[in-house]
Amino acid sequence: MALTLAAVTAGGLLLAPPAHADYNDTAFTSVTINEGKPIVVGSKDPVTVPVAVKIEDSSGGPLTTDASLVIGGHRHFLEGETDRNLDCVRTTSTVSSCTGTAIVSPGLLYNSSAGSVYLQVTGFDRGGTQYRVTTSYPEYAHLPGASVPLLKKTTLTGDATPEPARKGGTLTVTGKITRPDWQSRDATGAAVSVGYAGQPVKLQFKKSGTTTYKTVKTVTSGSGGKLRTTTTANSSGAWRWSFAQDGTSAAGVSAGDGVTLLKVAKLTVNATPEPVAKNGRLTVQGRLTRATTDAATAFTGHGKQPVKLQFKKSGTTTYTTVKTVTTDASGNLRTTTTAKSAGYWRWSYAGSSTVASVNAAGDHVALKK
């Protein structure tokens, strides 16, 4: 705590003050820095930090005040004129309540600045005795509010694909976590944002219609702060990354990325007659339905949808499209075709922006001998 303060005596001599333990009886009785919350600083914008303190002294409190935040061993003086940067009001014969404001600019910080922030006040008390009190002194170790952390602002991005997703399908969620490097500047003078690697970051999901995110898994950020994982899409909702505060960086979350779940579809088929005469007329029917909710427990007819009639000849592996038929209002399908070979008939629906694709099971039709 070596800091040289000069006091002018009546004879004009400059005297160095004694160690803090010998400074009269000036002391903090309460301290609040930034309302007790962490000071979070990003790449460019300065942060306003309110300070409130009660100072006790047998002379009635401070006559002059030079207050500063001690950040990484450096003093950042509060706003205001020298010797008067705290606004103090005597509340009792021995106690003064003081308030002030500090401006913490990222341009004046080092990476080592992240950590505990203390308050120091120096000056003269009403009895003319010089004082210096700092909340980092051992006697203030148990004083609530004696320090708050200065943290780097974290920024998280996130992206979940594909959008929309098939129920039970695989989602890939990517993103990045960054924070400022206070010792590197870009062309505008702002601190450069750099990836924060090796950090535990939670993947969280909020189901549509609810308000709470729940943690799905924890992923460790890679080189450059990159995040990537896969998960199963079981419901529509929003996905985000969440980082908890550590000793140097603030907590942060990415914006939620909404992913809609495609409604499950069902498709039936029935080709008649079975067997059929070669080059005879075949009637193919079926129905297309879709789930009414993500749970896929109830289904309704999916009307006005284009559905392909396909055929696979016995002994082959590939279906070929014969024609396209549109479902009626109830999702029903019906058409006629010519049976040239024995094989499998099915309906195939390509899906839409809200309903998943689906193929009916093949219905085998043999030719009459």
Side-chain angles (χ1 to χ4, degrees):
M1 303 302 302
L3 176 65
T4 301
L5 301 177
V8 181
T9 67
L13 296 177
L14 296 178
L15 302 176
H20 73 85
D22 298 325
Y23 277 164
N24 201 15
D25 59 355
T26 305
F28 293 126
T29 59
S30 72
V31 177
T32 304
I33 304 170
N34 200 41
E35 299 176 342
K37 299 177 292 186
I39 303 169
V40 180
V41 183
S43 298
K44 182 178 181 180
D45 297 328
V47 175
T48 300
V49 179
V51 172
V53 60
K54 289 184 179 180
I55 302 176
E56 184 176 38
D57 187 288
S58 60
S59 70
L63 178 65
T64 65
T65 57
D66 273 323
S68 59
L69 297 180
V70 182
I71 302 174
H74 300 276
R75 297 183 68 184
H76 294 246
F77 284 91
L78 274 61
E79 298 295 289
E81 61 181 296
T82 303
D83 296 334
R84 294 288 188 276
N85 64 358
L86 282 178
D87 182 16
C88 295
V89 177
R90 290 183 68 178
T91 54
T92 72
S93 61
T94 59
V95 177
S96 291
S97 294
C98 307
T99 58
T101 302
I103 304 296
V104 179
S105 172
L108 299 177
L109 299 176
Y110 302 90
N111 290 330
S112 59
S113 298
S116 296
V117 175
Y118 301 97
L119 177 68
Q120 183 176 96
V121 184
T122 64
F124 290 88
D125 65 17
R126 293 181 183 274
T129 301
Q130 192 174 24
Y131 69 88
R132 178 180 65 193
V133 284
T134 306
T135 58
S136 61
Y137 291 165
E139 56 263 41
Y140 301 119
H142 302 293
L143 181 67
S147 69
V148 296
L150 174 72
L151 303 173
K152 293 185 174 186
K153 180 180 180 180
T154 57
T155 301
L156 290 94
T157 60
D159 182 41
T161 56
E163 301 178 48
R166 182 181 289 270
K167 181 177 176 64
T170 298
L171 272 179
T172 299
V173 188
T174 59
K176 191 175 185 180
I177 176 171
T178 59
R179 62 178 186 163
D181 177 357
W182 287 328
Q183 291 172 221
S184 299
R185 304 284 160 183
D186 61 19
T188 68
V192 174
S193 291
V194 296
Y196 197 18
Q199 303 306 307
V201 183
K202 295 177 180 178
L203 175 66
Q204 298 183 324
F205 176 69
K206 181 180 69 174
K207 188 176 180 179
S208 293
T210 66
T211 59
T212 304
Y213 277 94
K214 295 182 179 180
T215 298
V216 176
K217 63 172 70 175
T218 299
V219 176
T220 301
S221 59
S223 175
K226 293 180 180 179
L227 299 162
R228 182 183 179 89
T229 192
T230 57
T231 188
T232 302
N234 290 317
S235 302
S236 299
W239 296 86
R240 76 177 186 184
W241 294 105
S242 176
F243 174 69
Q245 173 182 317
D246 64 15
T248 60
S249 301
V253 295
S254 66
D257 186 20
V259 176
T260 300
L261 204 62
L262 291 169
K263 295 295 188 293
V264 172
K266 292 183 178 180
L267 194 53
T268 61
V269 64
N270 184 34
T272 57
E274 302 178 47
V276 64
K278 182 177 176 65
N279 294 321
R281 182 176 292 274
L282 194 68
T283 299
V284 186
Q285 301 179 77
R287 190 177 186 219
L288 174 65
T289 58
R290 64 169 178 82
T292 56
T293 66
D294 285 352
T297 54
F299 288 77
T300 187
H302 197 22
K304 309 303 181 184
Q305 300 299 308
V307 181
K308 294 177 181 179
L309 175 64
Q310 297 182 329
F311 176 70
K312 180 180 70 173
K313 187 177 179 180
S314 295
T316 66
T317 59
T318 303
Y319 276 94
T320 301
T321 298
V322 177
K323 64 173 71 175
T324 298
V325 179
T326 301
T327 60
D328 67 13
S330 298
N332 295 310
L333 293 157
R334 181 185 176 89
T335 192
T336 58
T337 187
T338 301
K340 297 180 180 180
S341 304
Y344 296 85
W345 295 88
R346 76 175 185 184
W347 294 106
S348 178
Y349 176 57
S352 68
S353 60
T354 58
V355 180
S357 62
V358 64
N359 293 317
D363 185 17
H364 184 262
V365 177
L367 293 183
K368 291 180 178 179
K369 295 181 179 180

